[in-house]
Amino acid sequence: MYVGSLYVWRGNLPRDHPNTIKRRFTSVLCVSAVSPLVVLTWTKSMKVRPSPPLWALLGIRLEGFVPAALLPLTLTMILFLGPLTQLAVESTRGLFHDVRAGLNSRSWSKCVKDLRWFRNQVVAPLTEEFVFRACMIPMLVPCTGPTAAIFISPLFFGVAHFHHIIEQLHFGQDSVFEILICAAFQFVYTYIFGAYTAFIFIRTGHLVGPVLCHSFCNQMGFPAIGSVLHHPQRPLILLSYQLGVLLFLILLFPFTDSAFYGMTPVCSLLLTPRSACA
């Protein structure tokens, strides 16, 4: 439904054209509105008991909201310590000046008016995490258990990104081989990221963490590891890459401990008591 809704509109405009972006906003928002009804219908038809309130099941709740917003995002920023250090080193005006400029109201106003920025940082993270995590995982957990759901749900998320091949072939941007290589790489990257946000969703029981992490990763992009090897500050940046990964692995479970977030509603859908949340 999510991917198909992007192609209900007639026209041959590229994905970054304002008209295409606006139409696709409409499509994905409609799918996002329908998806909770699918989850509700499914839980009732399967007679899954006990069942928490629908919105809590979808990760929209107040209990533990602040740590759910801050801790997963902090964890993701730690993982990106290398790229963040590289940005700081390469900043011509200084890191603090760039941070102040980014937090300026005029800067935010300019970003919000940019449809591509609004798509990448707001609409895509919100709707994709809502549909592929908040609405899909509650339907998977009773059938597979939480651990398997973490690795199954991103398969759908990764495959959903294959639709970019259609536009690349249509507009002849690259050779078929290059397009397929790019699609394979994107599938691997989105699968790993999808497993990570599924892990966060199940561990915290909140949607806000995956959404903010998704938005942050869209802003950062895939780390330009190749450029580090020829960077004047290579030892410092390489150290920050390694330190970021090490700290991420150390803090992954402590930062997603349920003690910060209260009960995780999706875990109450487990049909057998022997299963435990990841």
Side-chain angles (χ1 to χ4, degrees):
M1 288 173 60
Y2 190 95
V3 177
S5 71
L6 304 177
Y7 293 94
V8 298
W9 307 96
R10 295 182 179 180
N12 295 313
L13 298 173
R15 69 187 297 267
D16 288 336
H17 191 281
N19 288 343
T20 302
I21 295 175
K22 291 176 183 177
R23 290 172 176 176
R24 290 184 172 184
F25 279 0
T26 303
S27 296
V28 298
L29 289 173
C30 288
V31 172
S32 298
V34 171
S35 295
L37 301 179
V38 176
V39 178
L40 181 63
T41 302
W42 183 85
T43 56
K44 289 185 178 299
S45 65
M46 295 294 291
K47 296 182 173 57
V48 178
R49 295 289 184 273
S51 180
L54 178 64
W55 293 115
L57 185 63
L58 301 180
I60 302 172
R61 58 197 183 98
L62 292 178
E63 182 188 15
F65 180 85
V66 173
L70 296 179
L71 293 180
L73 179 59
T74 302
L75 185 65
T76 307
M77 294 177 72
I78 290 172
L79 178 62
F80 277 78
L81 181 61
L84 289 172
T85 301
Q86 187 172 352
L87 287 175
V89 168
E90 295 175 350
S91 174
T92 56
R93 299 175 297 178
L95 177 62
F96 292 106
H97 183 279
D98 289 343
V99 171
R100 284 199 303 269
L103 296 176
N104 186 283
S105 59
R106 292 176 60 185
S107 175
W108 276 101
S109 177
K110 183 179 179 181
C111 288
V112 171
K113 293 177 182 177
D114 183 345
L115 285 177
R116 288 187 298 178
W117 183 93
F118 196 71
R119 175 194 63 194
N120 296 336
Q121 307 307 131
V122 180
V123 177
L126 182 60
T127 59
E128 288 180 2
E129 293 304 318
F130 185 70
V131 171
F132 288 95
R133 245 66 70 185
C135 292
M136 185 174 291
I137 288 178
M139 299 174 71
L140 283 173
V141 166
C143 303
T144 67
T147 302
I150 289 173
F151 297 100
I152 293 173
S153 64
L155 287 172
F156 299 97
F157 184 60
V159 170
H161 285 77
F162 276 135
H163 77 93
H164 293 306
I165 296 176
I166 299 173
E167 180 171 287
Q168 290 174 312
L169 291 173
H170 179 74
F171 289 99
Q173 297 174 350
D174 297 294
S175 68
V176 174
F177 178 76
E178 290 173 330
I179 291 173
L180 292 177
I181 291 295
C182 180
F185 174 79
Q186 189 178 39
F187 172 79
V188 173
Y189 179 69
T190 53
Y191 176 84
I192 294 173
F193 174 78
Y196 172 56
T197 54
F199 174 85
I200 292 174
F201 179 80
I202 288 179
R203 291 275 292 180
T204 67
H206 279 272
L207 177 63
V208 63
V211 170
L212 292 178
C213 292
H214 194 148
S215 181
F216 174 77
C217 289
N218 279 1
Q219 178 65 33
M220 294 297 297
F222 191 81
I225 301 175
S227 66
V228 177
L229 301 177
H230 307 286
H231 199 280
Q233 301 290 333
R234 181 178 62 181
L236 172 63
I237 297 175
L238 283 177
L239 177 62
S240 63
Y241 268 86
Q242 295 168 355
L243 183 61
V245 173
L246 178 62
L247 289 175
F248 173 80
L249 294 175
I250 293 173
L251 298 173
L252 179 61
F253 281 90
F255 270 40
T256 57
D257 193 304
S258 60
F260 293 113
Y261 314 106
M263 183 195 71
T264 52
V266 70
C267 295
S268 68
L269 292 179
L270 294 172
L271 297 179
T272 57
R274 62 179 174 82
S275 301
C277 272

